[in-house]
């Protein structure tokens, strides 16, 4: 069961990585969608 949860979590993390800003040194406002959605998804899964 833990392996299934880990695989599920890894898939969601890979999908959320698409929200990561592509520009190096981007301002914090460009990271906010990535951080907020990632935190919400992590809290739900945990």
């Amino acid at each position: 069961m833990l392996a299934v949860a880990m695989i599920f979590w890894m898939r969601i993390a890979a999908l959320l990585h698409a929200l990561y800003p592509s520009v190096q040194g981007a301002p914090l406002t460009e990271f906010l969608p990535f951080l907020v959605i990632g935190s919400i998804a992590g809290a739900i899964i945990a």
Side-chain angles (χ1 to χ4, degrees):
M1 198 64 175
L2 285 175
V4 172
M6 183 188 74
I7 291 170
F8 183 67
W9 197 322
M10 287 172 46
R11 290 291 179 179
I12 294 209
L15 290 172
L16 289 175
H17 187 67
L19 297 175
Y20 198 79
S22 60
V23 179
Q24 187 174 3
L28 181 62
T29 56
E30 291 191 27
F31 284 99
L32 284 178
F34 175 74
L35 295 173
V36 170
I37 295 173
S39 296
I40 291 170
I44 290 171
I45 293 171

